[in-house]
Amino acid sequence: MTVRKLSISVPPEVEETIKAAAADEGKPVSTWLAEAAVEKARLAALHDEGRKAAQELVAEYEREHGEVPEESRRRAREFMMEAGLLDDEPWRAAG
């Protein structure tokens, strides 16, 4: 496998966290970071797929039953935030 060298900058406490995690898994820092980056990208893709699927479900529901009431949307957002499935910051910015 071909590898390429990257240079990154991190705060000292992040460096120590990375080194400790890599050591705990018995891996070189570069291997641990590469695996972490791949996992982060995989999770982001899954999150995007889930968001698109949820949007499609809501659109299908609304085609059949009309717009979802705002109170129901608010309760759904609260549930998702409590479940750790949604960050509330975008909703705060939206009002």
Side-chain angles (χ1 to χ4, degrees):
M1 167 175 75
T2 302
V3 296
R4 300 187 79 166
K5 186 176 180 119
L6 296 176
S7 175
I8 65 168
S9 299
V10 297
E13 62 274 10
V14 174
E15 176 187 13
E16 292 309 314
T17 299
I18 291 168
K19 287 180 176 180
D24 286 348
E25 294 183 24
K27 296 178 180 178
V29 168
S30 59
T31 300
W32 189 89
L33 283 171
E35 289 174 357
V38 169
E39 180 65 8
K40 174 79 173 179
R42 185 186 72 78
L43 290 174
L46 284 174
H47 180 79
D48 190 47
E49 288 175 21
R51 181 183 303 271
K52 287 177 184 174
Q55 289 170 338
E56 289 173 13
L57 285 171
V58 170
E60 181 181 329
Y61 175 89
E62 288 183 334
R63 281 192 298 275
E64 292 180 22
H65 305 283
E67 190 172 327
V68 175
E70 183 55 37
E71 176 61 17
S72 296
R73 288 177 184 272
R74 185 191 61 74
R75 287 182 17 230
R77 281 193 300 269
E78 286 177 3
F79 170 80
M80 292 178 71
M81 286 187 290
E82 288 172 9
L85 300 172
L86 181 68
D87 181 359
D88 67 340
E89 290 302 318
W91 299 107
R92 283 187 194 163

